[in-house]
């Protein structure tokens, strides 16, 4: 098995002022730390690219948008430092998306779990399909959605976040996600790409400076996330070492 397959893929393509970033991993588009870092770096690079006005974030395949953290890497965590390091990858990614000077549009073609829901929450406009169910399953493996919670709560509210978190085994439908503002629009799979492309191209025709100022307004009041999300990573890093988490992760992997 090649290192590329083990670590997943990341590719950026350009069309006019729209940059499309596509990530993928053979394990249901999950994120090992290296792939998280690569996506974070790409978002930061595109933020400085004056030829780009809009970023479209999407993943490979048809059934799963993102299944969150890599179970293999979670099981490989041996101490609190390693745990904090792994979960800080999501913290850095969400902060990069929040600080990015470009509007980020998500193309969600399938299910999203855990960190995948956090990534969707950190996008500024979200297209999804009727098959795009979502779930926060962290409690079921002995941890919680602590790093992504600020992004999820900001998008759907504390009550809906708590509903998702406490019903850790339950999938929430795409209709529920639309009603609770996690998704902005829903389109059938055959129409999704056209809808995303049309919207992104239209958005890219607007004044880039106006888009940047709008981005700052959208994320107003989140400056404290720079330290908050890293602190939350430390909490999760401790919990993942518990016997409960070890046993649960082994069962989920099987």
């Amino acid at each position: 098995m090649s290192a590329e397959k083990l670590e997943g893929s990341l590719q950026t393509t350009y069309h006019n002022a729209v940059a499309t970033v596509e990530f993928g991993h053979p394990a249901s588009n999950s994120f090992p730390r290296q792939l998280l870092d690569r996506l974070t770096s790409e978002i930061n690079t595109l933020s400085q690219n004056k030829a780009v006005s809009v970023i479209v974030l999407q993943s490979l395949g048809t059934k799963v948008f993102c299944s969150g953290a890599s179970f293999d890497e979670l099981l490989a965590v041996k101490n609190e430092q390693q745990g904090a390091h792994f979960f800080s990858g999501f913290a850095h990614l969400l902060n990069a998306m929040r600080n990015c000077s470009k509007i980020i549009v998500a193309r969600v073609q399938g299910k999203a779990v855990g960190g995948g829901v956090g990534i969707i929450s950190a996008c500024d406009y979200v297209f999804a399909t009727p098959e795009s169910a979502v779930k926060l399953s962290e409690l079921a493996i002995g941890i919680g959605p602590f790093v992504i919670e600020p992004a999820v709560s900001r998008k759907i509210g504390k009550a809906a976040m708590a509903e998702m978190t406490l019903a850790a085994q339950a999938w929430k439908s795409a209709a529920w996600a639309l009603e609770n503002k996690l998704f902005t629009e829903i389109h059938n799979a055959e129409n999704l790409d056209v809808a995303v492309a049309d919207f992104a191209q239209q958005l890219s025709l607007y004044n880039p400076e106006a888009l940047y100022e709008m981005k700052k307004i959208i994320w107003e009041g989140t400056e404290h996330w720079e330290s908050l999300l890293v602190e939350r990573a430390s909490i999760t890093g401790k919990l993942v070492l518990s016997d409960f988490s070890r046993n649960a992760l082994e069962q989920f992997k099987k």
Side-chain angles (χ1 to χ4, degrees):
M1 188 178 291
S2 69
E4 177 67 18
K5 187 174 183 181
L6 282 170
E7 298 299 338
S9 61
L10 187 72
Q11 182 177 12
T12 301
T13 55
Y14 300 88
H15 182 67
N16 298 328
V18 177
T20 298
V21 180
E22 184 175 69
F23 64 88
H25 193 280
S28 300
N29 289 334
S30 60
F31 270 100
R33 175 61 197 256
Q34 186 183 82
L35 187 56
L36 278 171
D37 289 347
R38 289 165 63 190
L39 179 54
T40 300
S41 177
E42 187 66 10
I43 295 294
N44 287 332
T45 297
L46 291 172
S47 182
Q48 302 301 318
N49 188 335
K50 294 184 178 180
V52 172
S53 293
V54 179
I55 297 171
V56 173
L57 183 62
Q58 62 186 42
S59 65
L60 290 170
T62 58
K63 294 183 177 180
V64 180
F65 172 72
C66 177
S67 61
S70 164
F71 271 24
D72 287 339
E73 287 200 3
L74 288 177
L75 281 167
V77 171
K78 301 301 182 186
N79 54 56
E80 291 183 13
Q81 184 178 8
Q82 290 179 0
H85 172 76
F86 176 75
F87 287 104
S88 67
F90 279 98
H92 296 325
L93 174 59
L94 297 186
N95 275 322
M97 295 172 72
R98 175 180 67 83
N99 288 321
C100 183
S101 65
K102 319 299 180 182
I103 297 295
I104 302 177
V105 178
R107 172 191 173 272
V108 181
Q109 84 288 14
K111 294 181 176 180
V113 183
V117 177
I119 291 171
I120 293 170
S121 299
C123 292
D124 302 302
Y125 204 98
V126 180
F127 289 85
T129 67
E131 294 73 37
S132 302
V134 293
K135 179 166 67 171
L136 293 180
S137 60
E138 285 87 345
L139 283 180
I141 56 173
I143 57 176
F146 303 118
V147 175
I148 65 171
E149 178 276 322
V152 178
S153 291
R154 171 187 162 275
K155 185 62 74 76
I156 70 176
K158 288 281 187 181
M161 179 280 300
E163 180 182 336
M164 285 189 76
T165 300
L166 298 179
Q169 304 283 9
W171 287 99
K172 295 297 185 182
S173 69
W176 184 95
L178 179 67
E179 181 180 352
N180 285 279
K181 307 302 182 183
L182 180 65
F183 298 160
T184 319
E185 298 184 24
I186 291 180
H187 296 267
N188 291 330
E190 58 269 24
N191 301 322
L192 181 66
D193 286 335
V194 171
V196 172
D198 287 350
F199 179 80
Q201 286 299 322
Q202 182 60 56
L203 200 60
S204 72
L205 297 176
Y206 301 149
N207 183 348
E209 294 180 11
L211 290 176
Y212 176 48
E213 293 300 327
M214 194 65 224
K215 176 84 176 197
K216 290 193 290 185
I217 289 172
I218 291 171
W219 288 94
E220 198 171 41
T222 63
E223 294 79 11
H224 63 295
W225 287 17
E226 289 293 341
S227 58
L228 174 64
L229 301 192
V230 175
E231 291 168 6
R232 295 284 185 86
S234 296
I235 295 172
T236 317
K238 292 177 183 178
L239 288 171
V240 80
L241 295 170
S242 69
D243 289 340
F244 187 104
S245 285
R246 299 288 97 183
N247 294 333
L249 285 167
E250 288 288 359
Q251 291 302 314
F252 268 78
K253 188 177 180 182
K254 291 176 183 178

